[in-house]
Amino acid sequence: MTDAAAGHEEAERTWCLAEVDIFCDLSEQEMEAIAAAAPMKTYHTGEILYSPTQPSEVLFILKQGRVRVFRVSADGRALTTAIISPGTIFGEMVLLGQHMYDNYAEALDDTVVCVMSRTDVHRLLLADARIAARITAILGRRLADLEQRLSDSVFKTVAQRIATTLTTLTSAQPPAGPLRPVGRHPQIALTHEQLAALAGTSRETCTKVLRGYADHGLLRLARGRITVLDSERLKDAAG
């Protein structure tokens, strides 16, 4: 292998972890050790990363794309418990107080994850007080988000849930930069069917609500894409 090829391979190994908050102050040597234990894997839009019938006791580190974590009730209704954005972790880790045996994880986009085994999580993450504290904080926030989603599913109308979901997805987008100017309206790449699943409603009802929001100037609709024109009014609509 040439020096250039070896360098490229090394860069690919650490690429998955470069912007993950929990690794923000690790040394290059520490990053390389974690990267070696967390190979990258790609999932296409709509693919299931894990399910109750196909559990996988690993920790996922999301580098690219979005992942929806959801549960299915006895009557067949799906409840989205989390929308995972790049730079964070998810997966089945009883040792982290997180369970996925009753959950599904679905790629909302073409997704790249790094995958780490239970043994390596113990050896490389939980043994480091800095990383362990950050993981605890992430899981605490996720529990609070789950409680809010459960409350929303009971007390909010469908229109409010759709507005809440769109607001959540908008806030999870990367900050403005050279390729994403401040004045640009945020866009969400989702079909009406995908958004309906996130909000816990039917596609037909979701389309009706979206058209209403579009008629009032809050959104612009296109095939597979929703542009948020008025974020403040959309937050108000979310209740």
Side-chain angles (χ1 to χ4, degrees), residues 8-18 34-43 60-64 111-116:
H8 178 73
E9 182 176 325
E10 187 67 30
E12 282 291 304
R13 286 169 56 202
T14 56
W15 172 80
C16 191
L17 310 175
I34 293 173
M40 290 187 293
K41 188 171 182 179
T42 300
Y43 292 88
F60 294 95
I61 304 166
L62 182 59
K63 175 61 184 179
Q64 179 181 309
T111 296
V112 178
V113 294
C114 297
V115 184
M116 185 175 286

Side-chain angles (χ1 to χ4, degrees), residues 116-193:
M116 185 175 286
S117 70
R118 168 188 281 269
T119 300
D120 287 328
V121 168
H122 270 295
R123 179 171 63 90
L124 296 170
L125 304 190
L126 297 186
D128 187 313
R130 298 166 299 173
I131 299 175
R134 291 167 192 155
I135 289 173
T136 299
I138 288 171
L139 296 179
R141 290 195 299 271
R142 198 162 296 158
L143 179 59
D145 290 345
L146 172 56
E147 291 174 347
Q148 184 61 55
R149 286 180 180 279
L150 291 171
S151 175
D152 288 351
S153 71
V154 174
F155 297 111
K156 286 192 173 183
T157 65
V158 171
Q160 286 176 319
R161 294 203 304 271
I162 290 173
T164 298
T165 301
L166 290 173
T167 298
T168 299
L169 290 168
T170 300
S171 64
Q173 291 188 356
L179 300 179
R180 188 173 181 269
V182 174
R184 179 181 172 185
H185 293 300
Q187 293 186 334
I188 300 165
L190 283 178
T191 65
H192 292 193
E193 186 172 1

Side-chain angles (χ1 to χ4, degrees), residues 183-221:
R184 179 181 172 185
H185 293 300
Q187 293 186 334
I188 300 165
L190 283 178
T191 65
H192 292 193
E193 186 172 1
Q194 288 175 316
L195 180 58
L198 292 174
T201 188
S202 68
R203 182 187 60 78
E204 293 78 11
T205 299
C206 181
T207 296
K208 181 178 179 181
V209 169
L210 289 174
R211 285 175 178 166
Y213 285 148
D215 289 343
H216 286 86
L218 277 69
L219 308 172
R220 182 169 62 241
L221 305 178

